[in-house]
Amino acid sequence: MGDNTASKNHANHQVFDLSTTVLPPGGSKCFDDDGRLKRTGTVWTASSHIITAVIGSGVLSLAWATAQLGWIAGPTMLFLFSFVTYYTSTLLASCYRTGDPDTGKRNYTYMEAVQANLGGFKVKICGAIQYLNLFGVAIGYTIAASISMMAIKRSNCFHESHGKNPCKISSTPYMIMFGVAEIIFSQIPDFDQISWLSMVAAVMSFTYSTIGLGLGIAKVAESGKFRGSLTGISIGTVTQTQKIWRSFQALGDIAFAYSYSLILIEIQDTIKSPPSEVKTMKKATLLSVAVTTLFYMLCGCMGYAAFGDLAPGNLLTGFGFYNPFWLLDIANAAIVIHLVGAYQVYCQPLFAFIERQAANYFPESEFITKEIEVPIPGFKPFKLNLFRLVWRTLFVMLTTIISMLMPFFNDVVGILGAFGFWPLTVYFPVEMYIVQKKIPKWSTRWISLQILSVACLIISIAAAAGSFAGVVLDLKTYKPFSTSY
């Protein structure tokens, strides 16, 4: 009997004080080796999370990006970015556990991985960039969703007036609608509870990307020729300097289309082991990046083949296509549903971070820590937390207001892509990998990793410059809150 209580105490001691004792490698039946509930993720769930995060509104600007670069540079760049993304993602996946890949200490977020491997000042920089980027993505998604809702309205209005009415609409009410939906969804507390949402979003993103692709193919078949040139948009259509800026901006758009390293570690943290999470994650990365790239190539190239120099900035709403109008409506509805989900997938890490910080600073405060159970008939009671309610609502309101102030987000998407691409997708993964694998300075491996990093930095700077130039041009002709398309 005495024995039994001792071992019970010991077991409790094990779960709560992980610093001194570690659970056996597989953990127990219900818990993993870090004392958290057993993870259940597989290659398939991880891939669907990645595909949901990656194939987002980024797809729709690819035809435009390909048009700026032409038939040679366009597909080359798409392929190059996909390779870099895949390679650096495998480097990042190796940093999920510090030390031994099977039993080392887990890092639950991108920030913790940076903390464990690089420490100090770099963590602060990384955090600032990461959360700024997530904030920007939230704004970008609000704009993209409102543009799609407007496109549905416009395509129906065009259809009814047989194209005689120009159908000018303001985007503001649609942004507010999207904001309200996000406020409701933001109250779902945790990433893991959204796996069905991820599946729905993945299906939606395939729906609209496939419709875009299909319409592109139909248009090519109808005109019977591939449009476009080897070097991209011709100098008559745009000036020489414009062509340079737009090519750079196209790189930013492509970088944005691939960026998901931000949430890679959070996704990896849902995977069950054995086999070690790194192996599963590498498979998932390969699968999802391959699927995405194939898709991007098709969408970008078919869109360009269909429209040539005139490829619109957003394939499904730029009114490259008018008919069949119901098909466009389905595609745009799918975009909206997908963005509602993707918004949450991107914002949850940010929400969690602020809530953790608040709980650390004010552990006594009932407002922050107290969970009120609200009974829902037929479901588990919903845990309502006042701080979460207030802070997430304010966050969504802020992103919505900013979106209304500057709704030409094609350029700002380029800025976001450029701004997040080098530090988060290349620099930190490379640096952490070098520390983790103890790669000696000036060895061949070290030099080639650094060359990769510098090359990506140059591309990022160029893309940012191009996108800034785009924003400056847009600001010249813009009045806040009154933008109608």
Side-chain angles (χ1 to χ4, degrees):
M1 179 70 201
D3 251 11
N4 198 0
T5 46
S7 66
K8 260 202 187 124
N9 290 343
H10 183 60
N12 289 343
H13 170 72
Q14 257 186 333
V15 175
F16 293 112
D17 187 5
L18 292 169
S19 52
T20 54
T21 46
V22 177
L23 291 166
S28 63
K29 278 204 186 76
C30 315
F31 295 99
D32 272 330
D33 55 10
D34 57 348
R36 298 202 176 184
L37 280 174
K38 262 273 188 251
R39 292 164 175 77
T40 53
T42 59
V43 173
W44 300 111
T45 61
S47 301
S48 84
H49 272 311
I50 294 175
I51 289 172
T52 311
V54 179
I55 299 191
S57 43
V59 174
L60 302 171
S61 63
L62 289 178
W64 182 86
T66 314
Q68 309 316 308
L69 298 166
W71 277 120
I72 300 174
T76 312
M77 277 304 171
L78 278 169
F79 181 74
L80 246 159
F81 273 100
S82 77
F83 175 73
V84 171
T85 303
Y86 167 68
Y87 182 67
T88 56
S89 297
T90 57
L91 299 186
L92 185 56
S94 317
C95 302
Y96 171 59
R97 286 177 183 269
T98 308
D100 186 280
D102 296 322
T103 56
K105 180 188 159 302
R106 294 168 186 266
N107 300 306
Y108 300 112
T109 60
Y110 191 94
M111 291 273 293
E112 280 182 31
V114 176
Q115 173 82 55
N117 290 292
L118 303 173
F121 182 56
K122 284 186 179 168
V123 180
K124 294 205 169 44
I125 296 181
C126 165
I129 294 173
Q130 181 179 353
Y131 294 122
L132 254 172
N133 211 357
L134 289 176
F135 181 67
V137 168
I139 298 169
Y141 280 0
T142 308
I143 291 171
S146 72
I147 291 176
S148 283
M149 291 191 244
M150 285 159 60
I152 295 177
K153 185 97 178 73
R154 274 189 71 186
S155 90
N156 293 347
C157 152
F158 253 76
H159 186 71
E160 280 155 20
S161 71
H162 300 292
K164 292 187 180 61
N165 180 352
C167 304
K168 292 261 182 228
I169 328 175
S170 164
S171 57
T172 308
Y174 297 96
M175 291 192 183
I176 294 172
M177 273 158 53
F178 184 77
V180 170
E182 288 308 341
I183 288 175
I184 296 166
F185 279 109
S186 300
Q187 304 309 322
I188 301 173
D190 211 12
F191 203 164
D192 320 302
Q193 297 166 10
I194 330 186
S195 60
W196 59 270
L197 189 119
S198 220
M199 300 288 183
V200 170
V203 171
M204 289 300 156
S205 52
F206 273 116
T207 308
Y208 66 73
S209 316
T210 312
I211 291 177
L213 175 61
L215 287 169
I217 293 172
K219 182 110 178 170
V220 170
E222 178 192 23
S223 66
K225 59 177 187 289
F226 273 69
R227 301 220 168 132
S229 61
L230 294 179
T231 53
I233 199 161
S234 45
I235 299 290
T237 326
V238 291
T239 60
Q240 179 78 49
T241 40
Q242 254 182 324
K243 177 160 170 68
I244 295 170
W245 289 130
R246 289 173 76 156
S247 304
F248 286 161
Q249 194 184 332
L251 295 180
D253 282 0
I254 296 174
F256 179 76
Y258 276 113
S259 63
Y260 73 100
S261 55
L262 267 185
I263 48 181
L264 182 125
I265 299 237
E266 275 95 339
I267 294 172
Q268 193 166 347
D269 192 43
T270 61
I271 295 175
K272 64 170 183 239
S273 60
S276 79
E277 298 88 357
V278 183
K279 286 185 182 141
T280 313
M281 198 59 191
K282 282 185 178 168
K283 278 186 199 141
T285 307
L286 183 60
L287 179 68
S288 43
V289 171
V291 169
T292 312
T293 305
L294 177 69
F295 221 76
Y296 279 5
M297 289 279 195
L298 285 169
C299 288
C301 297
M302 273 307 173
Y304 183 36
F307 295 113
D309 282 357
L310 302 175
N314 179 335
L315 194 56
L316 292 171
T317 60
F319 282 82
F321 306 110
Y322 295 111
N323 287 316
F325 81 107
W326 51 270
L327 192 59
L328 279 179
D329 291 354
I330 294 173
N332 281 308
I335 292 178
V336 175
I337 295 169
H338 171 241
L339 288 177
V340 168
Y343 187 98
Q344 292 306 324
V345 170
Y346 272 98
C347 289
Q348 291 283 345
L350 176 58
F351 291 156
F353 169 72
I354 298 285
E355 281 147 30
R356 275 200 307 273
Q357 293 297 47
N360 288 347
Y361 280 111
F362 310 105
E364 318 293 271
S365 160
E366 293 241 315
F367 172 64
I368 291 175
T369 51
K370 189 177 179 189
E371 302 245 332
I372 305 160
E373 297 217 335
V374 183
I376 303 174
F379 291 98
K380 283 187 289 199
F382 178 72
K383 292 195 173 81
L384 179 72
N385 171 318
L386 287 178
F387 174 65
R388 187 162 63 218
L389 181 72
V390 173
W391 133 249
R392 294 186 177 193
T393 307
L394 284 174
F395 175 86
V396 177
M397 283 163 68
L398 182 65
T399 56
T400 312
I401 290 167
I402 294 178
S403 313
M404 289 176 203
L405 285 172
M406 36 196 305
F408 35 78
F409 234 58
N410 232 8
D411 318 312
V412 185
V413 157
I415 290 183
L416 276 173
F419 177 70
F421 174 71
W422 179 69
L424 297 170
T425 307
V426 185
Y427 175 74
F428 285 118
V430 164
E431 291 298 307
M432 289 198 287
Y433 184 76
I434 287 174
V435 171
Q436 175 94 346
K437 295 277 184 263
K438 304 189 175 51
I439 297 170
K441 235 180 190 175
W442 304 113
S443 63
T444 320
R445 189 91 203 264
W446 187 87
I447 292 176
S448 41
L449 285 168
Q450 296 300 349
I451 290 174
L452 171 74
S453 185
V454 171
C456 292
L457 173 62
I458 293 168
I459 291 175
S460 266
I461 292 171
S467 305
F468 273 115
V471 171
V472 170
L473 286 175
D474 279 340
L475 281 171
K476 283 183 186 158
T477 57
Y478 174 67
K479 296 176 200 61
F481 293 119
S482 60
T483 292
S484 49
Y485 291 91

